[in-house]
Amino acid sequence: MAHNKNRWLKAVAGAMVICLMLSVCEFHGTCEGVRQNAVRLHVLANSDSEEDQALKLKVRDAVLALSADWQEEAATAAEALALAESRLPAIQAAAQAVVAAEGYDYPVRAEVCRMYFTTRQYDTLTLPAGTYDAVRLSIGAGEGQNWWCVMYPPLCVGTATDRRQATALWSDGQQDLVKNGDRYVVKFKVVEWVQSLLSWFR
């Protein structure tokens, strides 16, 4: 009798482990879908001084103003990334013009890259940890605090209504994940741990 009970408990425990693994795998797949369907914008300040941080925000504003129209032209993240890459010289020139106008001689580097982000919140949206395609601007030494947002879907600018329309470009599952991050705190932590481990191995 005790032997049968032991086997039953093991079976239940095994089933629970399998369910948990399937749940985490499904969640991880949804996170990967978000990562594949997003392009991030990342602006690094020269330093953490008050002046350099203020300059970073002015550069950000100039880049967002420049990119507002063509962000909406893209139907997919791949198209958005290609448009960004084709406009890198213009993006860098706009950023450099702001730096010069503010009286600094910092060089600005604009690039399209793949980079790792931790789990981050943008307004009411939560973006899972992982490696994303990104447009990155480094001002001067690029050693100050960064500013980031999502260029595609275009969440960087606009009203809350605009952002709701932008997130409609994601699947229902992806929308649920980014809009209801408070439901998935533990799973986000698991994904962040896995992604940071993968990033370390790379």
Side-chain angles (χ1 to χ4, degrees):
M1 188 75 173
H3 181 67
N4 288 339
K5 183 178 180 183
N6 210 19
R7 287 178 60 187
W8 182 82
L9 289 172
K10 285 181 179 179
V12 170
M16 289 176 66
V17 169
I18 291 170
C19 287
L20 179 62
M21 288 176 65
L22 289 173
S23 175
V24 169
C25 286
E26 183 181 358
F27 184 79
H28 190 277
T30 304
C31 289
E32 182 58 25
V34 171
R35 289 190 286 267
Q36 290 178 354
N37 290 302
V39 178
R40 309 280 283 262
L41 174 62
H42 190 233
V43 185
L44 281 162
N46 177 65
S47 75
D48 282 336
S49 73
E50 188 175 334
E51 295 79 9
D52 283 348
Q53 287 296 310
L55 178 64
K56 172 191 73 178
L57 298 180
K58 290 179 180 178
V59 167
R60 169 204 68 183
D61 292 344
V63 171
L64 290 180
L66 179 68
S67 64
D69 291 338
W70 57 262
Q71 282 181 47
E72 295 182 2
E73 293 175 23
T76 66
E79 285 183 19
L81 192 66
L83 284 167
E85 196 156 19
S86 70
R87 288 163 169 78
L88 275 182
I91 291 171
Q92 182 163 314
Q96 194 70 68
V98 171
V99 171
E102 294 298 314
Y104 297 92
D105 60 358
Y106 303 141
V108 177
R109 183 176 64 169
E111 60 185 323
V112 167
C113 62
R114 284 187 61 76
M115 59 181 292
Y116 176 78
F117 289 85
T118 57
T119 302
R120 300 209 182 177
Q121 192 163 18
Y122 177 70
D123 288 346
T124 58
L125 305 179
T126 304
L127 275 290
T131 302
Y132 289 78
D133 289 315
V135 176
R136 179 167 60 189
L137 288 116
S138 301
I139 305 169
E143 294 178 350
Q145 292 182 45
N146 66 83
W147 180 90
W148 72 274
C149 74
V150 184
M151 291 186 81
Y152 181 91
L155 303 176
C156 294
V157 292
T159 64
T161 300
D162 294 329
R163 286 193 286 274
R164 280 196 296 273
Q165 291 172 345
T167 56
L169 296 167
W170 281 324
S171 71
D172 290 345
Q174 292 163 11
Q175 289 184 59
D176 178 65
L177 185 148
V178 299
K179 290 178 179 178
N180 299 294
D182 54 331
R183 287 193 212 157
Y184 304 112
V185 173
V186 174
K187 288 184 178 179
F188 274 130
K189 289 293 183 185
V190 172
V191 167
E192 184 163 352
W193 179 79
V194 170
Q195 289 297 313
S196 62
L197 189 63
L198 292 173
S199 182
W200 183 80
F201 276 114
R202 291 191 195 103

